[in-house]
């Protein structure tokens, strides 16, 4: 991982907390010489109880080191640990750590699994398997958590970034696009999801693998359901870029369809109408949005602004008072 990556490490604090009970000690010179690693580890404390095994062996030391540097990619003795891991496993270092991470993943210990994949990426940053399994582990980790929103957000963002990187470094690896598409769809980035899944379909066209064919069928159905969201996203982007007439023309097609109870649809139509000087339509659209998100004070503020602009101070005050009531209720709930 690059130094820039380390500075922006989203999930390190969660992984380091899991490693909080690890014990370190220096191995004797006799042991180091017998193991042929004196030059590598002389004066270097190593993890002797890293949750890998109660038995201290060259293998458990190596896995303990991987766990430590995978959690903290800027660990003080990182380079020495990498040298030891490569000494123990030789050219198979990446495969050994990936296999160990996969074992933790299979037992649903996804946080620890990520540590091993991250360790591989320190010295083999383009490893397709490490990137893929790291993205998968992050995804499985946040899907397993249902309370800590910060944790979920951090692992979700990490997973998305890893799958983006995977498709850039290994553009012919179809499964990267499969999971990246879901990442985009879950964020409401429907155009990106559609384009990404189309790449998956193209890359797997001649597969013939029954499992891949099943995934192709699944994604084909997903692509069909994205047609309307993609157009709505296009309309929203028009609004955000200042093309209010174009945005309203696109979005208004869907006010009687499957997305009629999606409050942002009405909100963005209201923004368009207000920007085009159509106050009555803007008021109607803002009110419709409030039906689906009745405590949304931002919409109330917009509505009050429109009423103020047309000189209707009675209704402007009405919604400003509602804003105060909602905020006071929230404060009371938080006491």
């Amino acid at each position: 991982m690059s130094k820039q990556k380390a500075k922006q490490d989203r999930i390190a604090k969660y992984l380091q907390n899991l490693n909080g009970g690890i014990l370190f000690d220096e191995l004797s010179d006799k042991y180091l010489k017998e193991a042929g690693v004196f030059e590598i580890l002389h004066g270097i404390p190593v993890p002797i109880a890293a949750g890998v095994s109660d038995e201290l062996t060259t293998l458990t030391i190596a896995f303990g080191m991987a766990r430590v540097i995978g959690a903290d990619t800027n660990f003080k003795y990182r380079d020495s640990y990498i040298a030891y891991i490569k000494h123990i496993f030789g050219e198979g270092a990446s495969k050994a750590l990936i296999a160990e991470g996969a074992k933790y993943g299979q037992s649903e210990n996804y946080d620890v699994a990520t540590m091993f994949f991250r360790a591989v990426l320190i010295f083999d940053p383009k490893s397709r398997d490490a990137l893929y399994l790291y993205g998968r582990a992050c995804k499985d980790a946040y899907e397993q958590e249902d309370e800590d929103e910060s944790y979920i957000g951090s692992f979700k963002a990490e997973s998305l970034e890893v799958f983006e990187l995977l498709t850039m470094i290994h553009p012919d690896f179809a499964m990267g696009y499969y999971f990246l598409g879901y990442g985009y769809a879950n964020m409401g980035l429907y155009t990106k999801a559609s384009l990404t899944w189309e790449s998956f379909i193209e890359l797997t066209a001649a597969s013939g693998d029954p499992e891949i064919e099943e995934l192709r069928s699944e994604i084909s159905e997903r692509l069909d359901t994205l047609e309307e969201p993609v157009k709505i996203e296009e309309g929203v982007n028009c609004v955000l870029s200042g093309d209010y007439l174009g945005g309203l023309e696109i979005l208004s097609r869907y006010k009687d369809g499957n997305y009629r109870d999606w409050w942002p649809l009405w909100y963005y139509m209201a923004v368009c109408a207000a920007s085009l000087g159509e106050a009555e339509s803007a008021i109607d659209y803002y009110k419709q949005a409030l039906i689906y998100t009745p405590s949304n004070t931002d919409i109330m503020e917009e509505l009050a602004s429109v009423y103020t602009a047309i000189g209707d101070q009675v209704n402007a005050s009405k919604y400003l008072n509602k804003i105060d009531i909602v905020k006071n209720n929230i404060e009371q709930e938080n006491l």
Side-chain angles (χ1 to χ4, degrees):
M1 294 182 182
S2 67
K3 292 182 179 179
Q4 182 179 7
K5 172 69 175 177
K7 291 179 181 177
Q8 301 174 345
D9 200 333
R10 302 179 183 90
I11 69 172
K13 63 180 180 180
Y14 301 105
L15 304 183
Q16 289 175 35
N17 285 341
L18 290 177
N19 282 348
I22 291 179
L23 301 178
F24 294 84
D25 199 0
E26 292 184 23
L27 300 175
S28 68
D29 288 350
K30 179 182 178 182
Y31 178 89
L32 295 178
K33 289 176 181 178
E34 290 177 350
V37 292
F38 181 82
E39 296 298 328
I40 297 174
L41 293 183
H42 176 63
I44 304 293
V46 302
I48 59 173
V52 176
S53 172
D54 293 332
E55 182 182 359
L56 187 65
T57 66
T58 55
L59 191 63
T60 60
I61 292 173
F63 285 149
M65 289 177 171
R67 177 166 172 162
V68 169
I69 62 176
D72 179 3
T73 56
N74 285 325
F75 186 69
K76 182 177 181 180
Y77 303 111
R78 184 190 72 174
D79 293 344
S80 295
Y81 283 13
I82 291 172
Y84 179 81
I85 290 169
K86 288 184 175 181
H87 175 82
I88 296 300
F89 296 112
E91 294 183 358
S94 292
K95 289 184 178 180
L97 299 190
I98 288 172
E100 188 68 9
K103 284 167 56 179
Y104 279 97
Q106 289 168 0
S107 62
E108 300 185 359
N109 198 338
Y110 303 119
D111 297 287
V112 176
T114 66
M115 298 181 198
F116 288 93
F117 305 137
R118 283 160 58 94
V120 172
L121 293 172
I122 294 172
F123 60 85
D124 191 4
K126 294 184 178 180
S127 169
R128 191 191 76 176
D129 290 343
L131 285 168
Y132 174 61
L133 291 174
Y134 179 36
R136 288 285 306 272
C138 288
K139 176 179 180 293
D140 291 335
Y142 76 72
E143 288 180 347
Q144 191 180 49
E145 174 63 51
D146 60 1
E147 294 182 0
D148 190 335
E149 292 184 5
S150 177
Y151 175 100
I152 293 171
S154 297
F155 277 78
K156 184 177 290 187
E158 188 73 3
S159 177
L160 183 70
E161 184 176 290
V162 171
F163 283 127
E164 286 179 330
L165 183 61
L166 175 61
T167 58
M168 286 189 286
I169 296 176
H170 301 284
D172 296 329
F173 183 53
M175 291 307 296
Y177 296 93
Y178 173 87
F179 285 102
L180 180 57
Y182 273 108
Y184 285 144
N186 290 336
M187 292 182 65
L189 301 173
Y190 301 117
T191 300
K192 282 190 172 183
S194 180
L195 293 172
T196 301
W197 277 335
E198 285 172 4
S199 296
F200 172 79
I201 293 296
E202 291 173 7
L203 287 170
T204 56
S207 170
D209 185 323
E211 291 185 2
I212 294 296
E213 288 302 315
E214 187 174 340
L215 294 179
R216 281 172 55 81
S217 177
E218 170 195 326
I219 295 305
S220 294
E221 292 179 5
R222 295 286 183 182
L223 284 170
D224 289 340
T225 65
L226 282 184
E227 289 184 10
E228 287 188 344
V230 165
K231 292 301 295 182
I232 292 174
E233 185 180 2
E234 179 185 343
V236 171
N237 287 335
C238 285
V239 179
L240 296 176
S241 66
D243 180 8
Y244 302 114
L245 191 61
L248 186 59
E249 193 277 327
I250 293 173
L251 296 175
S252 60
R253 301 173 194 168
Y254 301 96
K255 61 184 180 181
D256 296 319
N258 295 329
Y259 294 88
R260 60 184 176 274
D261 57 353
W262 187 55
W263 71 262
L265 176 69
W266 298 97
Y267 170 77
Y268 284 112
M269 286 196 296
V271 170
C272 290
S275 300
L276 294 169
E278 301 173 6
E280 290 187 8
S281 294
I283 289 170
D284 289 340
Y285 292 149
Y286 279 133
K287 286 183 176 180
Q288 193 67 29
L290 282 174
I291 291 175
Y292 303 113
T293 177
S295 299
N296 193 315
T297 56
D298 291 334
I299 295 177
M300 293 178 195
E301 288 178 2
E302 298 278 2
L303 192 50
S305 295
V306 176
Y307 276 123
T308 299
I310 63 175
D312 188 343
Q313 291 301 327
V314 173
N315 277 308
S317 297
K318 171 185 173 182
Y319 282 97
L320 291 174
N321 289 334
K322 283 188 175 182
I323 291 171
D324 289 337
I325 292 171
V326 171
K327 289 183 176 179
N328 286 333
N329 288 339
I330 293 174
E331 290 177 1
Q332 292 297 319
E333 290 176 359
N334 291 333
L335 290 178

PDB file of all heavy atoms in Angstrom, residues 280-308:
ATOM      1  N   GLU A 280     -46.142  28.035  -7.916  1.00  0.00           N
ATOM      2  CA  GLU A 280     -47.238  27.147  -7.521  1.00  0.00           C
ATOM      3  C   GLU A 280     -46.861  25.678  -7.687  1.00  0.00           C
ATOM      4  O   GLU A 280     -47.148  24.847  -6.822  1.00  0.00           O
ATOM      5  CB  GLU A 280     -48.490  27.474  -8.340  1.00  0.00           C
ATOM      6  CG  GLU A 280     -49.120  28.817  -7.979  1.00  0.00           C
ATOM      7  CD  GLU A 280     -50.449  29.035  -8.687  1.00  0.00           C
ATOM      8  OE1 GLU A 280     -50.935  28.075  -9.338  1.00  0.00           O
ATOM      9  OE2 GLU A 280     -50.991  30.139  -8.594  1.00  0.00           O
ATOM     10  N   SER A 281     -46.212  25.359  -8.817  1.00  0.00           N
ATOM     11  CA  SER A 281     -45.780  23.972  -9.029  1.00  0.00           C
ATOM     12  C   SER A 281     -44.724  23.577  -8.010  1.00  0.00           C
ATOM     13  O   SER A 281     -44.738  22.455  -7.477  1.00  0.00           O
ATOM     14  CB  SER A 281     -45.214  23.806 -10.445  1.00  0.00           C
ATOM     15  OG  SER A 281     -46.225  23.978 -11.413  1.00  0.00           O
ATOM     16  N   ALA A 282     -43.805  24.505  -7.709  1.00  0.00           N
ATOM     17  CA  ALA A 282     -42.763  24.216  -6.728  1.00  0.00           C
ATOM     18  C   ALA A 282     -43.377  23.896  -5.371  1.00  0.00           C
ATOM     19  O   ALA A 282     -42.971  22.940  -4.699  1.00  0.00           O
ATOM     20  CB  ALA A 282     -41.808  25.401  -6.610  1.00  0.00           C
ATOM     21  N   ILE A 283     -44.380  24.685  -4.973  1.00  0.00           N
ATOM     22  CA  ILE A 283     -45.049  24.457  -3.694  1.00  0.00           C
ATOM     23  C   ILE A 283     -45.719  23.088  -3.674  1.00  0.00           C
ATOM     24  O   ILE A 283     -45.596  22.333  -2.697  1.00  0.00           O
ATOM     25  CB  ILE A 283     -46.090  25.568  -3.429  1.00  0.00           C
ATOM     26  CG1 ILE A 283     -45.368  26.884  -3.119  1.00  0.00           C
ATOM     27  CG2 ILE A 283     -47.016  25.183  -2.280  1.00  0.00           C
ATOM     28  CD1 ILE A 283     -46.281  28.090  -3.083  1.00  0.00           C
ATOM     29  N   ASP A 284     -46.398  22.760  -4.753  1.00  0.00           N
ATOM     30  CA  ASP A 284     -47.065  21.452  -4.834  1.00  0.00           C
ATOM     31  C   ASP A 284     -46.052  20.312  -4.734  1.00  0.00           C
ATOM     32  O   ASP A 284     -46.284  19.310  -4.038  1.00  0.00           O
ATOM     33  CB  ASP A 284     -47.851  21.336  -6.147  1.00  0.00           C
ATOM     34  CG  ASP A 284     -49.091  22.217  -6.166  1.00  0.00           C
ATOM     35  OD1 ASP A 284     -49.549  22.617  -5.071  1.00  0.00           O
ATOM     36  OD2 ASP A 284     -49.592  22.504  -7.267  1.00  0.00           O
ATOM     37  N   TYR A 285     -44.934  20.447  -5.441  1.00  0.00           N
ATOM     38  CA  TYR A 285     -43.922  19.383  -5.437  1.00  0.00           C
ATOM     39  C   TYR A 285     -43.260  19.241  -4.067  1.00  0.00           C
ATOM     40  O   TYR A 285     -43.035  18.121  -3.587  1.00  0.00           O
ATOM     41  CB  TYR A 285     -42.853  19.663  -6.504  1.00  0.00           C
ATOM     42  CG  TYR A 285     -43.348  19.563  -7.929  1.00  0.00           C
ATOM     43  CD1 TYR A 285     -42.786  20.348  -8.942  1.00  0.00           C
ATOM     44  CD2 TYR A 285     -44.378  18.695  -8.284  1.00  0.00           C
ATOM     45  CE1 TYR A 285     -43.216  20.255 -10.255  1.00  0.00           C
ATOM     46  CE2 TYR A 285     -44.829  18.594  -9.601  1.00  0.00           C
ATOM     47  CZ  TYR A 285     -44.240  19.385 -10.576  1.00  0.00           C
ATOM     48  OH  TYR A 285     -44.676  19.293 -11.876  1.00  0.00           O
ATOM     49  N   TYR A 286     -42.951  20.376  -3.425  1.00  0.00           N
ATOM     50  CA  TYR A 286     -42.346  20.315  -2.086  1.00  0.00           C
ATOM     51  C   TYR A 286     -43.301  19.651  -1.090  1.00  0.00           C
ATOM     52  O   TYR A 286     -42.890  18.842  -0.254  1.00  0.00           O
ATOM     53  CB  TYR A 286     -41.976  21.712  -1.592  1.00  0.00           C
ATOM     54  CG  TYR A 286     -40.668  22.242  -2.129  1.00  0.00           C
ATOM     55  CD1 TYR A 286     -40.583  23.545  -2.642  1.00  0.00           C
ATOM     56  CD2 TYR A 286     -39.510  21.468  -2.107  1.00  0.00           C
ATOM     57  CE1 TYR A 286     -39.372  24.058  -3.126  1.00  0.00           C
ATOM     58  CE2 TYR A 286     -38.303  21.965  -2.591  1.00  0.00           C
ATOM     59  CZ  TYR A 286     -38.249  23.253  -3.102  1.00  0.00           C
ATOM     60  OH  TYR A 286     -37.055  23.753  -3.582  1.00  0.00           O
ATOM     61  N   LYS A 287     -44.585  19.989  -1.190  1.00  0.00           N
ATOM     62  CA  LYS A 287     -45.575  19.385  -0.291  1.00  0.00           C
ATOM     63  C   LYS A 287     -45.689  17.885  -0.534  1.00  0.00           C
ATOM     64  O   LYS A 287     -45.848  17.097   0.410  1.00  0.00           O
ATOM     65  CB  LYS A 287     -46.930  20.060  -0.483  1.00  0.00           C
ATOM     66  CG  LYS A 287     -47.032  21.454   0.116  1.00  0.00           C
ATOM     67  CD  LYS A 287     -48.434  22.011  -0.053  1.00  0.00           C
ATOM     68  CE  LYS A 287     -48.576  23.368   0.624  1.00  0.00           C
ATOM     69  NZ  LYS A 287     -49.935  23.928   0.466  1.00  0.00           N
ATOM     70  N   GLN A 288     -45.601  17.498  -1.800  1.00  0.00           N
ATOM     71  CA  GLN A 288     -45.658  16.071  -2.126  1.00  0.00           C
ATOM     72  C   GLN A 288     -44.451  15.350  -1.543  1.00  0.00           C
ATOM     73  O   GLN A 288     -44.563  14.247  -1.012  1.00  0.00           O
ATOM     74  CB  GLN A 288     -45.703  15.885  -3.644  1.00  0.00           C
ATOM     75  CG  GLN A 288     -46.075  14.483  -4.096  1.00  0.00           C
ATOM     76  CD  GLN A 288     -47.502  14.105  -3.760  1.00  0.00           C
ATOM     77  OE1 GLN A 288     -48.384  14.964  -3.684  1.00  0.00           O
ATOM     78  NE2 GLN A 288     -47.744  12.818  -3.544  1.00  0.00           N
ATOM     79  N   ALA A 289     -43.296  15.987  -1.609  1.00  0.00           N
ATOM     80  CA  ALA A 289     -42.087  15.384  -1.032  1.00  0.00           C
ATOM     81  C   ALA A 289     -42.243  15.203   0.469  1.00  0.00           C
ATOM     82  O   ALA A 289     -41.822  14.188   1.039  1.00  0.00           O
ATOM     83  CB  ALA A 289     -40.868  16.259  -1.344  1.00  0.00           C
ATOM     84  N   LEU A 290     -42.871  16.177   1.117  1.00  0.00           N
ATOM     85  CA  LEU A 290     -43.058  16.103   2.573  1.00  0.00           C
ATOM     86  C   LEU A 290     -44.008  14.987   2.993  1.00  0.00           C
ATOM     87  O   LEU A 290     -43.945  14.517   4.130  1.00  0.00           O
ATOM     88  CB  LEU A 290     -43.572  17.445   3.109  1.00  0.00           C
ATOM     89  CG  LEU A 290     -42.517  18.551   3.253  1.00  0.00           C
ATOM     90  CD1 LEU A 290     -43.177  19.868   3.642  1.00  0.00           C
ATOM     91  CD2 LEU A 290     -41.472  18.157   4.285  1.00  0.00           C
ATOM     92  N   ILE A 291     -44.860  14.566   2.082  1.00  0.00           N
ATOM     93  CA  ILE A 291     -45.745  13.435   2.398  1.00  0.00           C
ATOM     94  C   ILE A 291     -44.913  12.189   2.691  1.00  0.00           C
ATOM     95  O   ILE A 291     -45.228  11.403   3.588  1.00  0.00           O
ATOM     96  CB  ILE A 291     -46.719  13.162   1.226  1.00  0.00           C
ATOM     97  CG1 ILE A 291     -47.736  14.298   1.111  1.00  0.00           C
ATOM     98  CG2 ILE A 291     -47.443  11.823   1.416  1.00  0.00           C
ATOM     99  CD1 ILE A 291     -48.665  14.171  -0.084  1.00  0.00           C
ATOM    100  N   TYR A 292     -43.807  12.029   1.955  1.00  0.00           N
ATOM    101  CA  TYR A 292     -42.984  10.834   2.075  1.00  0.00           C
ATOM    102  C   TYR A 292     -41.822  11.006   3.049  1.00  0.00           C
ATOM    103  O   TYR A 292     -41.194  10.013   3.441  1.00  0.00           O
ATOM    104  CB  TYR A 292     -42.461  10.429   0.691  1.00  0.00           C
ATOM    105  CG  TYR A 292     -43.573  10.196  -0.301  1.00  0.00           C
ATOM    106  CD1 TYR A 292     -43.754  11.034  -1.402  1.00  0.00           C
ATOM    107  CD2 TYR A 292     -44.484   9.159  -0.114  1.00  0.00           C
ATOM    108  CE1 TYR A 292     -44.789  10.833  -2.293  1.00  0.00           C
ATOM    109  CE2 TYR A 292     -45.530   8.945  -1.006  1.00  0.00           C
ATOM    110  CZ  TYR A 292     -45.674   9.792  -2.086  1.00  0.00           C
ATOM    111  OH  TYR A 292     -46.717   9.592  -2.973  1.00  0.00           O
ATOM    112  N   THR A 293     -41.521  12.240   3.435  1.00  0.00           N
ATOM    113  CA  THR A 293     -40.482  12.500   4.438  1.00  0.00           C
ATOM    114  C   THR A 293     -40.929  13.686   5.290  1.00  0.00           C
ATOM    115  O   THR A 293     -40.384  14.792   5.177  1.00  0.00           O
ATOM    116  CB  THR A 293     -39.103  12.751   3.766  1.00  0.00           C
ATOM    117  OG1 THR A 293     -38.138  13.058   4.765  1.00  0.00           O
ATOM    118  CG2 THR A 293     -39.169  13.843   2.720  1.00  0.00           C
ATOM    119  N   PRO A 294     -41.945  13.469   6.125  1.00  0.00           N
ATOM    120  CA  PRO A 294     -42.620  14.559   6.837  1.00  0.00           C
ATOM    121  C   PRO A 294     -41.764  15.363   7.815  1.00  0.00           C
ATOM    122  O   PRO A 294     -42.141  16.472   8.187  1.00  0.00           O
ATOM    123  CB  PRO A 294     -43.760  13.844   7.568  1.00  0.00           C
ATOM    124  CG  PRO A 294     -43.344  12.416   7.647  1.00  0.00           C
ATOM    125  CD  PRO A 294     -42.551  12.156   6.413  1.00  0.00           C
ATOM    126  N   SER A 295     -40.646  14.851   8.246  1.00  0.00           N
ATOM    127  CA  SER A 295     -39.802  15.576   9.200  1.00  0.00           C
ATOM    128  C   SER A 295     -38.579  16.205   8.537  1.00  0.00           C
ATOM    129  O   SER A 295     -37.638  16.610   9.227  1.00  0.00           O
ATOM    130  CB  SER A 295     -39.350  14.634  10.321  1.00  0.00           C
ATOM    131  OG  SER A 295     -40.458  14.131  11.039  1.00  0.00           O
ATOM    132  N   ASN A 296     -38.604  16.306   7.226  1.00  0.00           N
ATOM    133  CA  ASN A 296     -37.456  16.833   6.494  1.00  0.00           C
ATOM    134  C   ASN A 296     -37.446  18.361   6.564  1.00  0.00           C
ATOM    135  O   ASN A 296     -38.157  19.047   5.831  1.00  0.00           O
ATOM    136  CB  ASN A 296     -37.514  16.375   5.033  1.00  0.00           C
ATOM    137  CG  ASN A 296     -36.211  16.609   4.299  1.00  0.00           C
ATOM    138  OD1 ASN A 296     -35.613  17.672   4.406  1.00  0.00           O
ATOM    139  ND2 ASN A 296     -35.786  15.610   3.545  1.00  0.00           N
ATOM    140  N   THR A 297     -36.642  18.901   7.447  1.00  0.00           N
ATOM    141  CA  THR A 297     -36.622  20.349   7.661  1.00  0.00           C
ATOM    142  C   THR A 297     -36.000  21.107   6.487  1.00  0.00           C
ATOM    143  O   THR A 297     -36.313  22.281   6.278  1.00  0.00           O
ATOM    144  CB  THR A 297     -35.855  20.698   8.957  1.00  0.00           C
ATOM    145  OG1 THR A 297     -34.531  20.150   8.884  1.00  0.00           O
ATOM    146  CG2 THR A 297     -36.578  20.138  10.178  1.00  0.00           C
ATOM    147  N   ASP A 298     -35.122  20.458   5.737  1.00  0.00           N
ATOM    148  CA  ASP A 298     -34.541  21.122   4.572  1.00  0.00           C
ATOM    149  C   ASP A 298     -35.628  21.465   3.551  1.00  0.00           C
ATOM    150  O   ASP A 298     -35.634  22.558   2.969  1.00  0.00           O
ATOM    151  CB  ASP A 298     -33.483  20.233   3.916  1.00  0.00           C
ATOM    152  CG  ASP A 298     -32.239  20.086   4.778  1.00  0.00           C
ATOM    153  OD1 ASP A 298     -31.967  20.996   5.580  1.00  0.00           O
ATOM    154  OD2 ASP A 298     -31.538  19.064   4.647  1.00  0.00           O
ATOM    155  N   ILE A 299     -36.538  20.519   3.339  1.00  0.00           N
ATOM    156  CA  ILE A 299     -37.641  20.768   2.405  1.00  0.00           C
ATOM    157  C   ILE A 299     -38.547  21.864   2.947  1.00  0.00           C
ATOM    158  O   ILE A 299     -39.021  22.732   2.205  1.00  0.00           O
ATOM    159  CB  ILE A 299     -38.435  19.474   2.139  1.00  0.00           C
ATOM    160  CG1 ILE A 299     -37.545  18.453   1.418  1.00  0.00           C
ATOM    161  CG2 ILE A 299     -39.686  19.765   1.310  1.00  0.00           C
ATOM    162  CD1 ILE A 299     -38.212  17.124   1.179  1.00  0.00           C
ATOM    163  N   MET A 300     -38.787  21.852   4.248  1.00  0.00           N
ATOM    164  CA  MET A 300     -39.620  22.899   4.857  1.00  0.00           C
ATOM    165  C   MET A 300     -38.998  24.278   4.661  1.00  0.00           C
ATOM    166  O   MET A 300     -39.705  25.261   4.391  1.00  0.00           O
ATOM    167  CB  MET A 300     -39.807  22.619   6.350  1.00  0.00           C
ATOM    168  CG  MET A 300     -40.618  21.383   6.661  1.00  0.00           C
ATOM    169  SD  MET A 300     -40.744  21.101   8.452  1.00  0.00           S
ATOM    170  CE  MET A 300     -41.324  19.409   8.494  1.00  0.00           C
ATOM    171  N   GLU A 301     -37.680  24.355   4.778  1.00  0.00           N
ATOM    172  CA  GLU A 301     -36.992  25.629   4.572  1.00  0.00           C
ATOM    173  C   GLU A 301     -37.146  26.106   3.132  1.00  0.00           C
ATOM    174  O   GLU A 301     -37.368  27.300   2.876  1.00  0.00           O
ATOM    175  CB  GLU A 301     -35.518  25.485   4.935  1.00  0.00           C
ATOM    176  CG  GLU A 301     -35.260  25.356   6.430  1.00  0.00           C
ATOM    177  CD  GLU A 301     -33.781  25.169   6.748  1.00  0.00           C
ATOM    178  OE1 GLU A 301     -32.968  25.188   5.794  1.00  0.00           O
ATOM    179  OE2 GLU A 301     -33.443  25.008   7.935  1.00  0.00           O
ATOM    180  N   GLU A 302     -37.021  25.168   2.189  1.00  0.00           N
ATOM    181  CA  GLU A 302     -37.200  25.518   0.781  1.00  0.00           C
ATOM    182  C   GLU A 302     -38.621  26.012   0.526  1.00  0.00           C
ATOM    183  O   GLU A 302     -38.847  26.991  -0.189  1.00  0.00           O
ATOM    184  CB  GLU A 302     -36.903  24.298  -0.099  1.00  0.00           C
ATOM    185  CG  GLU A 302     -35.490  23.776  -0.009  1.00  0.00           C
ATOM    186  CD  GLU A 302     -34.523  24.545  -0.887  1.00  0.00           C
ATOM    187  OE1 GLU A 302     -34.956  25.519  -1.533  1.00  0.00           O
ATOM    188  OE2 GLU A 302     -33.333  24.178  -0.926  1.00  0.00           O
ATOM    189  N   LEU A 303     -39.578  25.327   1.135  1.00  0.00           N
ATOM    190  CA  LEU A 303     -40.987  25.683   0.961  1.00  0.00           C
ATOM    191  C   LEU A 303     -41.257  27.068   1.547  1.00  0.00           C
ATOM    192  O   LEU A 303     -41.950  27.898   0.935  1.00  0.00           O
ATOM    193  CB  LEU A 303     -41.857  24.628   1.630  1.00  0.00           C
ATOM    194  CG  LEU A 303     -43.365  24.623   1.347  1.00  0.00           C
ATOM    195  CD1 LEU A 303     -43.650  24.684  -0.142  1.00  0.00           C
ATOM    196  CD2 LEU A 303     -43.995  23.372   1.962  1.00  0.00           C
ATOM    197  N   ALA A 304     -40.718  27.337   2.711  1.00  0.00           N
ATOM    198  CA  ALA A 304     -40.887  28.652   3.338  1.00  0.00           C
ATOM    199  C   ALA A 304     -40.280  29.747   2.463  1.00  0.00           C
ATOM    200  O   ALA A 304     -40.842  30.853   2.350  1.00  0.00           O
ATOM    201  CB  ALA A 304     -40.242  28.660   4.717  1.00  0.00           C
ATOM    202  N   SER A 305     -39.150  29.427   1.805  1.00  0.00           N
ATOM    203  CA  SER A 305     -38.502  30.408   0.939  1.00  0.00           C
ATOM    204  C   SER A 305     -39.366  30.759  -0.264  1.00  0.00           C
ATOM    205  O   SER A 305     -39.442  31.917  -0.678  1.00  0.00           O
ATOM    206  CB  SER A 305     -37.146  29.874   0.452  1.00  0.00           C
ATOM    207  OG  SER A 305     -36.258  29.712   1.533  1.00  0.00           O
ATOM    208  N   VAL A 306     -40.025  29.747  -0.823  1.00  0.00           N
ATOM    209  CA  VAL A 306     -40.909  29.996  -1.968  1.00  0.00           C
ATOM    210  C   VAL A 306     -42.087  30.862  -1.543  1.00  0.00           C
ATOM    211  O   VAL A 306     -42.460  31.827  -2.233  1.00  0.00           O
ATOM    212  CB  VAL A 306     -41.408  28.672  -2.584  1.00  0.00           C
ATOM    213  CG1 VAL A 306     -42.417  28.957  -3.710  1.00  0.00           C
ATOM    214  CG2 VAL A 306     -40.243  27.859  -3.117  1.00  0.00           C
ATOM    215  N   TYR A 307     -42.679  30.542  -0.393  1.00  0.00           N
ATOM    216  CA  TYR A 307     -43.807  31.341   0.100  1.00  0.00           C
ATOM    217  C   TYR A 307     -43.361  32.788   0.351  1.00  0.00           C
ATOM    218  O   TYR A 307     -44.095  33.751   0.040  1.00  0.00           O
ATOM    219  CB  TYR A 307     -44.372  30.738   1.377  1.00  0.00           C
ATOM    220  CG  TYR A 307     -45.366  29.627   1.136  1.00  0.00           C
ATOM    221  CD1 TYR A 307     -45.179  28.348   1.662  1.00  0.00           C
ATOM    222  CD2 TYR A 307     -46.524  29.863   0.392  1.00  0.00           C
ATOM    223  CE1 TYR A 307     -46.101  27.338   1.450  1.00  0.00           C
ATOM    224  CE2 TYR A 307     -47.457  28.845   0.174  1.00  0.00           C
ATOM    225  CZ  TYR A 307     -47.232  27.588   0.704  1.00  0.00           C
ATOM    226  OH  TYR A 307     -48.162  26.592   0.491  1.00  0.00           O
ATOM    227  N   THR A 308     -42.177  32.946   0.900  1.00  0.00           N
ATOM    228  CA  THR A 308     -41.656  34.300   1.157  1.00  0.00           C
ATOM    229  C   THR A 308     -41.472  35.057  -0.159  1.00  0.00           C
ATOM    230  O   THR A 308     -41.790  36.252  -0.262  1.00  0.00           O
ATOM    231  CB  THR A 308     -40.313  34.220   1.907  1.00  0.00           C
ATOM    232  OG1 THR A 308     -40.503  33.584   3.161  1.00  0.00           O
ATOM    233  CG2 THR A 308     -39.736  35.611   2.130  1.00  0.00           C
TER     234      THR A 308
END
